[in-house]
């Protein structure tokens, strides 16, 4: 796996680097059949300029000022993940770097699951359906 980490206006400590490496190990475990050189993984973290992101919960019927004010987000991150010729992209915001990284990897695992369902053969209990159809004809 080719991994590129880019940070803009923030620093990554060794603790967060280990945290990111644990998530990367989960990604490599979920893709055992692909060659290591074909996977390109880019993680971009930066300090958020506007500092706000949309509310996490649905708005209530009777709104107050506190309900309409969105949550603060000091960091934003993006993951670009290339498998063979297909590219997966996610973007998220968070109050801390850990929250931002967690949300990005959570979203990339959802996209990866969709990719695996579309492009990988399923491990069916009956790999050859011709033998089943031939028996009942």
């Amino acid at each position: 796996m080719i991994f590129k980490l880019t940070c803009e206006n923030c620093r990554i400590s060794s603790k967060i680097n280990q945290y990111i490496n644990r998530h990367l190990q989960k990604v490599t475990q979920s893709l055992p059949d692909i060659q290591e050189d074909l996977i390109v993984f880019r993680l971009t973290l930066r300090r958020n300029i506007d500092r706000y992101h949309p509310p996490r919960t649905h708005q209530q019927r009777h709104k107050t000022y506190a309900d309409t004010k969105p949550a603060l987000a000091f960091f934003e991150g993006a993951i670009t993940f290339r498998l063979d010729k297909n590219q997966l992209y996610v973007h998220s915001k968070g109050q801390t770097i850990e929250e931002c990284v967690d949300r990005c990897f959570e979203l990339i695992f959802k996209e990866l699951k969709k990719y695996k369902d579309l492009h990988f053969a399923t491990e069916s209990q009956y790999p050859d359906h011709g033998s089943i159809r031939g028996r009942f004809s």
Side-chain angles (χ1 to χ4, degrees):
M1 175 184 297
I2 300 168
F3 174 64
K4 296 179 181 179
L5 176 65
T6 306
C7 299
E8 297 176 14
N9 300 329
C10 62
R11 291 188 181 185
I12 300 296
S13 66
S14 61
K15 178 183 172 185
I16 296 172
N17 197 7
Q18 291 173 355
Y19 193 66
I20 292 170
N21 287 335
R22 275 189 268 148
H23 281 296
L24 287 173
Q25 288 175 355
K26 290 180 188 177
V27 171
T28 55
Q29 286 176 354
S30 65
L31 297 170
D33 298 336
I34 296 179
Q35 296 176 1
E36 296 265 335
D37 297 341
L38 297 178
I39 301 172
V40 178
F41 197 92
R42 289 184 180 95
L43 174 62
T44 305
L45 296 170
R46 68 183 187 115
R47 188 172 297 276
N48 193 7
I49 297 170
D50 63 356
R51 296 194 180 159
Y52 290 105
H53 62 83
R56 296 182 188 159
T57 59
H58 296 290
Q59 296 293 332
Q60 299 167 350
R61 183 172 237 161
H62 302 289
K63 298 178 182 177
T64 63
Y65 175 73
D67 291 335
T68 58
K69 186 173 175 82
L72 285 173
F74 296 110
F75 297 97
E76 61 182 306
I79 293 178
T80 305
F81 185 43
R82 191 182 79 204
L83 289 170
D84 297 331
K85 293 183 180 179
N86 298 320
Q87 189 168 3
L88 308 174
Y89 175 79
V90 295
H91 178 82
S92 73
K93 295 182 180 182
Q95 288 185 349
T96 62
I97 292 178
E98 292 90 359
E99 181 182 344
C100 184
V101 168
D102 273 343
R103 183 69 182 145
C104 279
F105 275 102
E106 180 181 322
L107 293 173
I108 202 70
F109 280 123
K110 283 184 181 179
E111 291 292 322
L112 187 62
K113 184 178 178 184
K114 289 179 190 176
Y115 176 83
K116 286 174 71 174
D117 288 342
L118 291 174
H119 297 285
F120 291 148
T122 60
E123 296 177 6
S124 176
Q125 190 174 3
Y126 302 106
D128 184 20
H129 293 289
S131 62
I132 296 170
R133 292 186 187 117
R135 214 178 334 160
F136 295 114
S137 298

